[in-house]
Amino acid sequence: MRYPPVYFLKQMNTFIIKGFMILFVSCVTIKLNLCSPNTPSFNTLPLDGHFNFHEVHHAARDFGNRYQFLPMAVLHPKTVSDIATTIKHIWDMGPRSELTVAARGHGHSLQGQAQTHRGVVINMESLKGPEIQVYTGSSPYVDVSGGELWINILHESLKYGLAPKSWTDYLHLTIGGTLSNAGISGQAFRHGPQISNVHQLEVVTGKGEVINCSEEQNEDLFHSVLGGLGQFGIITRARISLEAAPARVKWIRVLYSDFAAFTQDQEHLISAENTFDYVEGFVIINRTGLLNNWRSSFNSKDPVQASQFKSDGRTLFCLELAKYFNLDKTDLINEEVENLLSQLSYIRSTLFMSEVAYIDFLDRVHVSEIKLRSKDLWDVPHPWLNLLIPKSKIHTFADEVFGSILTATSNGPILIYPVNRSKWDNRTSVVIPEEHIFYLVAFLTSAVPSSTGTDGLEHILTQNKRILEFCETAHLGVKQYLPHYTTKKEWQAHFGPRWEAFVQRKSAYDPLAILAPGQRIFQKAIPFS
């Protein structure tokens, strides 16, 4: 029997020692990670749902497609108790832990607001509460999970001939997501935003408490959470007001070349007693999206007339209107529409009208989403900018922005329409201009990946910056909708005199700043005031 040479034994010993050291270091690393106060083991928590520590990359992206913050884990809750238990566990760890929690609905945030770096993302669409429950009667309403999509509520409530009163243009968003902001569309002038049509909420606070709240019960928390940007609690259930749903919609678009006439007609319509059910508008630069754009499936009954219209390179303004009706009222509605249109000062050769089912009108953006997804044009950067502008400043704003900053083309729809301040509740957390009428102006741009031209991300961001700088230097009193700031000073300016109340609410309901770190308003373990 031959023995191995000495040098071979030395090599074997070296290999064994190195292997042992690697194993030892690895075990120490694993032990340190498990014992670190910043990465606790959640596996011992009594949950009906589960944590995923590996498939987390999807939670580090959103519709804005610009920010990516990788979480430590994603919670897939089945019950509200799962959410409360997780937050309470982090709350009990105290300020020594850097862990934060972000509630993620359908991932439609724009600036990483539903993300958290090395924290816990709660997948709200996994929440399996009671099914959607519709209650009929003189004051109908629907009880829904905070992770439910508005489109599903529409489908279910329509079975009873009912529907929510106020919408967003895009329905594939969660209840908790839109109620944490406001929820605005062309019905807001009449019914207010979605947060003005809520009867009751179930909320999990930053302390892990599950609290029911309404105007009669825990009123301060109720109003704090509505429009609260997720800072005070996670909405796990909501009771939404309903009304009788129509069957059909007269869908109309008319064009203006004069901005003053355009805004005057809009303001007239939202102030009239007998008017349309939906009033929006958008800007057409260089004939971009004259009739169609990604947010609609509008089909004119007179495409020949549409193609013959000459814009002569002018910036045009399109007034978009809708009148809801049932088939037994068709003749009456036709007369009403004709009468309302006769009061407007649009270009007479540009009346484009369509008629669609109510559900097709409300879900119009989804049709275009499907088309864009098929062309790989949906998951691109969306550097959107949404502004709320006082009525008295809208002409100053338009002169500069549409006359100087944006002149060549637009990289997506530019919405512009007025709403009535009287339909908003001052007790909620949302910040709006002080005037009785203010405008939403939304630059819903899409950037072409890797482009360095006018359709590239950097060019669009530069335009957005110019618009914001003009608003500030001209003292227009503009407020951002879906606001995004990076410094405490900017947030203080946004909230103005309401900042102290906002800070006090944070101290009451999420004193450790565990919730919604992606909003970048408060930083954990740093004093708020």
Side-chain angles (χ1 to χ4, degrees):
M1 187 175 186
R2 298 179 60 187
Y3 292 91
V6 174
Y7 77 88
F8 182 74
L9 285 174
K10 289 183 178 180
Q11 283 186 329
M12 286 292 292
N13 289 336
T14 302
F15 177 79
I16 292 171
I17 292 171
K18 285 183 177 179
F20 176 79
M21 290 300 297
I22 291 172
L23 182 62
F24 175 79
V25 171
S26 299
C27 290
V28 170
T29 302
I30 292 171
K31 183 175 178 64
L32 287 173
N33 285 339
L34 289 174
C35 296
S36 169
N38 295 326
T39 53
S41 172
F42 289 96
N43 294 325
T44 59
L45 295 180
L47 304 177
D48 295 307
H50 69 279
F51 280 98
N52 194 320
F53 297 92
H54 306 290
E55 298 176 4
V56 298
H57 287 81
H58 70 282
R61 296 189 62 182
D62 57 24
F63 181 72
N65 214 357
R66 293 176 52 210
Y67 295 88
Q68 292 193 29
F69 299 104
L70 196 67
M72 178 193 72
V74 175
L75 171 64
H76 298 269
K78 286 187 177 180
T79 64
V80 175
S81 178
D82 288 350
I83 298 173
T85 298
T86 299
I87 295 176
K88 180 65 163 57
H89 182 67
I90 296 173
W91 161 259
D92 287 340
M93 295 173 66
R96 66 190 177 87
S97 165
E98 296 179 2
L99 278 173
T100 54
V101 175
R104 175 188 170 89
H106 207 52
H108 208 75
S109 57
L110 299 170
Q111 314 268 5
Q113 288 95 333
Q115 299 179 32
T116 172
H117 177 60
R118 298 179 67 181
V120 176
V121 169
I122 300 177
N123 179 10
M124 294 301 294
E125 290 186 280
S126 295
L127 184 61
K128 301 299 181 185
E131 296 298 318
I132 299 172
Q133 298 175 340
V134 177
Y135 295 84
T136 59
S138 58
S139 300
Y141 61 86
V142 58
D143 280 342
V144 293
S145 164
E148 192 61 79
L149 298 181
W150 284 96
I151 183 63
N152 295 335
I153 297 171
L154 177 61
H155 283 298
E156 187 63 25
S157 60
L158 282 176
K159 295 176 183 177
Y160 302 84
L162 300 167
K165 300 173 181 178
S166 189
W167 297 98
T168 53
D169 286 335
Y170 181 61
L171 305 188
H172 295 252
L173 305 171
T174 59
I175 303 299
T178 65
L179 295 184
S180 295
N181 289 283
I184 313 175
S185 184
Q187 304 89 354
F189 78 92
R190 170 172 283 174
H191 296 294
Q194 290 177 322
I195 58 173
S196 293
N197 296 276
V198 181
H199 295 311
Q200 185 177 312
L201 297 172
E202 179 186 68
V203 174
V204 180
T205 70
K207 300 177 184 179
E209 302 167 318
V210 181
I211 300 177
N212 288 309
C213 53
S214 65
E215 290 197 350
E216 293 76 32
Q217 179 186 16
N218 299 308
E219 175 267 346
D220 185 65
L221 177 61
F222 179 71
H223 291 115
S224 298
V225 169
L226 293 173
L229 305 176
Q231 293 302 304
F232 314 112
I234 295 175
I235 297 172
T236 52
R237 197 152 187 82
R239 178 168 291 178
I240 309 294
S241 180
L242 300 177
E243 66 175 358
R248 305 289 293 174
V249 175
K250 294 282 186 184
W251 190 2
I252 301 158
R253 289 181 175 178
V254 292
L255 300 181
Y256 294 74
S257 58
D258 181 66
F259 186 73
F262 170 69
T263 53
Q264 183 176 344
D265 280 358
Q266 282 190 319
E267 291 164 18
H268 162 71
L269 289 173
I270 71 162
S271 303
E273 198 152 316
N274 180 28
T275 186
F276 290 95
D277 297 291
Y278 161 100
V279 176
E280 284 198 11
F282 55 90
V283 184
I284 301 164
I285 299 176
N286 242 358
R287 204 177 163 85
T288 304
L290 183 59
L291 281 179
N292 292 286
N293 52 59
W294 68 256
R295 53 187 297 275
S296 76
S297 54
F298 185 88
N299 291 309
S300 170
K301 288 185 177 180
D302 191 2
V304 176
Q305 186 174 343
S307 64
Q308 290 177 347
F309 175 74
K310 303 297 182 183
S311 64
D312 297 325
R314 293 171 293 175
T315 293
L316 299 173
F317 307 94
C318 180
L319 179 57
E320 185 173 43
L321 309 164
K323 191 71 173 175
Y324 306 155
F325 68 102
N326 292 316
L327 292 176
D328 60 336
K329 302 287 186 181
T330 300
D331 292 339
L332 178 61
I333 288 296
N334 286 337
E335 289 180 14
E336 286 187 11
V337 167
E338 187 175 347
N339 178 52
L340 287 168
L341 289 174
S342 69
Q343 303 171 29
L344 306 180
S345 302
Y346 61 90
I347 302 170
R348 293 299 162 184
S349 62
T350 65
L351 171 59
F352 309 116
M353 191 179 301
S354 184
E355 184 178 312
V356 295
Y358 180 61
I359 191 169
D360 292 337
F361 173 71
L362 292 180
D363 200 28
R364 58 197 179 276
V365 175
H366 187 56
V367 175
S368 299
E369 176 191 352
I370 294 171
K371 293 179 182 177
L372 289 173
R373 283 190 182 279
S374 69
K375 300 176 182 178
D376 293 327
L377 294 175
W378 185 258
D379 295 322
V380 299
H382 295 99
W384 286 9
L385 178 63
N386 296 270
L387 304 175
L388 302 175
I389 302 173
K391 168 189 167 182
S392 66
K393 304 296 184 181
I394 194 63
H395 293 277
T396 303
F397 177 88
D399 286 344
E400 175 66 19
V401 174
F402 306 133
S404 177
I405 298 177
L406 301 176
T407 55
T409 186
S410 61
N411 297 299
I414 303 173
L415 306 188
I416 178 168
Y417 58 90
V419 292
N420 292 313
R421 195 179 198 280
S422 62
K423 302 297 182 179
W424 297 61
D425 192 328
N426 274 340
R427 295 171 294 178
T428 66
S429 293
V430 71
V431 179
I432 58 177
E434 291 296 327
E435 295 186 8
H436 293 304
I437 293 177
F438 59 90
Y439 280 77
L440 170 72
V441 181
F443 301 89
L444 308 183
T445 51
S446 299
V448 176
S450 73
S451 172
T452 57
T454 58
D455 56 359
L457 179 60
E458 290 306 315
H459 178 81
I460 297 170
L461 290 175
T462 300
Q463 283 187 333
N464 288 350
K465 184 179 179 182
R466 287 183 62 192
I467 292 170
L468 290 171
E469 287 175 347
F470 168 71
C471 291
E472 185 174 351
T473 56
H475 304 291
L476 300 187
V478 169
K479 295 296 181 183
Q480 283 192 33
Y481 176 61
L482 309 177
H484 169 68
Y485 302 101
T486 56
T487 68
K488 177 181 174 181
K489 184 178 180 180
E490 290 172 324
W491 279 111
Q492 286 178 314
H494 171 75
F495 284 101
R498 303 183 65 183
W499 171 250
E500 290 305 322
F502 196 82
V503 170
Q504 288 173 9
R505 286 174 164 178
K506 185 69 171 178
S507 180
Y509 303 117
D510 183 25
L512 293 185
I514 290 171
L515 302 176
Q519 295 284 2
R520 305 174 184 85
I521 305 175
F522 301 104
Q523 189 172 342
K524 192 170 183 185
I526 291 180
F528 304 147
S529 57

